[in-house]
Amino acid sequence: MARTTTRRSPSAGSGRRNAGTKGVPRADREEQIVEVATEVFGTQGFAATSVGDIAERAGISKPLIYNYFGSKEGLLRACLHRAIEILAGEFERIARGDAVGLERALRTLEGTFVLLERQPWIWRLFFDPTIPRGEQGIAAELALYTDRFTALAEEGVGEMMRLAGNEDPRDVSALTAVWMSVADSLVTWWLDHPDETPASMTARCVRLFQLVLGATLPPGTTAD
Amino acid sequence: MARTTTRRSPSAGSGRRNAGTKGVPRADREEQIVEVATEVFGTQGFAATSVGDIAERAGISKPLIYNYFGSKEGLLRACLHRAIEILAGEFERIARGDAVGLERALRTLEGTFVLLERQPWIWRLFFDPTIPRGEQGIAAELALYTDRFTALAEEGVGEMMRLAGNEDPRDVSALTAVWMSVADSLVTWWLDHPDETPASMTARCVRLFQLVLGATLPPGTTAD
DNA sequence: CGGTGGTAACTTACCGCAGAGTCATATTGT
DNA sequence: ACAATATGACTCTGCGGTAAGTTACCACCG
């Protein structure tokens, strides 16, 4: 009745004129926010990023983020959760494959390139030095995640080193760190050369492996 | 004279009771502050660090920092300046040496380890993602510094690749990025294992080089 | 089909606090 | 006495976080 029309609140006082649902269900909105946040956290770092900035880029308001994620840390937690789902699954699939040694390394790189195409910053989340290292809260969770990576990488590296006759655990640890950093730097380099495709990156890696390691990779290793 | 005593201001209102020179000349104080700041910036990141925190750790007060460096960015600038002096000089010295290829790589690493002993965070300053990337101000200066590194590294990498028969400039560029990242990751790993010495780090690198590259390093390369 | 409440989706406006940067002032070596 | 060295106490901006209100969708009733 009149009420419907009468409810013309827009003018009432200085109320929230742009309020009201836009018909986006919570799950969709959450995913959208997490996507934006992951990019910003991953490129600028957690400490240097403000929640307001994320809200603005996502085209929504700050309180909505707090409604859904509780806190800035909660938002980061959600980003990490999504990222680990994306990455670890793929890496574990590769690890379960039958490739070993250098070929396994190359396959991992190849998978990484395909996976991180257009969203390389996901990787950076796990190595953000600005995440508060307070012994409680997010630090433990983060360690859990990175350990999942590291264990996988360390398994591969350790395997290769065993074949070569070195089993020093500290050497394995150091070489694993180097290997993960190599993958990281290649993704970063790719970011600076956007015209490269996952396939061309893989081909480049094959060339560089052959050059640096003097290795002969089996045919068919290069993506189509 | 009476005046000196009469001026007993300590009680006057709530004056600065701890003020007054402590006999430390400006240059010394500046160096001391820069040293502390470099450590904190390098480990926590620029954005996550507060000037007050630095002042407290240095045992002086915040205004003194602003007196000497003008701003937080100015302090960072001073840190970068000192760091580039320390690092670039050493790298250029190595580059001028007669080592080539893998041996030059190893000598660079060795020099880095010796140089960064007890202050590994210096290196991190140049790759801190939380430094404001505003096109003006510090970003340009930082780029200048990192370019100085990169040029040197690219020269070494390009030389090695030429010997191996690959002159693709993009391959050189990518491999240079990888190489610098390798050095970075080794320093980072060292940060997490503080009991390692420069010599033990170098020895480890020799082992890993031999293992991964199948290379035979000349004797005398290992630091005693 | 029209109305009508309940609730999920959104917002504006604000609070409190931490941190960058400043001012006026105090102390001491020379 | 004076310049250099130093600081307590302040302002102001920006950000994490919150309160309270607004709007749209939807299931249900008549």
Side-chain angles (χ1 to χ4, degrees), chain A residues 9 16 19-21 49 51 62-63 66 72:
Chain A
S9 37
R16 296 109 188 92
T21 180
T49 302
V51 177
K62 200 168 51 155
Y66 282 93
K72 192 183 179 186

Side-chain angles (χ1 to χ4, degrees), chain B residues 188-203:
Chain B
T188 303
W189 185 88
W190 189 14
L191 253 180
D192 293 336
H193 301 79
D195 53 317
E196 300 273 338
T197 66
S200 74
M201 283 301 293
T202 304

Side-chain angles (χ1 to χ4, degrees), chain A residues 15-26:
Chain A
R16 296 109 188 92
R17 270 180 271 271
N18 286 341
T21 180
K22 286 161 189 162
V24 181
R26 174 166 182 160

Side-chain angles (χ1 to χ4, degrees), chain B residues 16-23:
Chain B
R16 297 111 189 88
R17 271 178 273 271
N18 286 339
T21 180
K22 288 159 188 162

Side-chain angles (χ1 to χ4, degrees), chain B residues 129-143:
Chain B
T130 73
I131 291 175
R133 279 298 188 274
E135 201 43 63
Q136 58 156 13
I138 214 164
E141 196 163 352
L142 182 61

Side-chain angles (χ1 to χ4, degrees), chain B residues 72-89:
Chain B
K72 191 183 179 186
E73 266 203 24
L75 177 55
L76 174 61
R77 213 180 298 261
C79 293
L80 288 171
H81 186 72
R82 171 170 165 273
I84 194 75
E85 287 306 323
I86 295 179
L87 291 180

Side-chain angles (χ1 to χ4, degrees), chain B residues 30 37 58 69 77 80 136 138 140 142 149 154 161-162 176 183 208 213 216:
Chain B
E30 278 184 352
F69 302 98
R77 213 180 298 261
L80 288 171
Q136 58 156 13
I138 214 164
L142 182 61
F149 284 139
E154 202 157 317
M161 287 181 66
R162 215 175 311 116
T176 301
L208 293 180
L213 311 180
T216 323

Side-chain angles (χ1 to χ4, degrees), chain B residues 35-105:
Chain B
E35 226 163 282
V36 172
T38 299
E39 172 169 356
V40 185
F41 283 152
T43 50
Q44 303 182 359
F46 181 77
T49 303
S50 81
V51 178
D53 183 30
I54 293 174
E56 196 178 349
R57 292 191 196 219
I60 47 102
S61 72
K62 201 167 51 153
L64 193 60
I65 292 183
Y66 282 92
N67 249 349
Y68 287 167
F69 302 98
S71 67
K72 191 183 179 186
E73 266 203 24
L75 177 55
L76 174 61
R77 213 180 298 261
C79 293
L80 288 171
H81 186 72
R82 171 170 165 273
I84 194 75
E85 287 306 323
I86 295 179
L87 291 180
E90 172 74 3
F91 288 150
E92 277 158 8
R93 199 184 58 73
I94 293 172
R96 275 196 307 273
D98 53 359
V100 292
L102 290 180
E103 181 163 355
R104 174 168 168 184

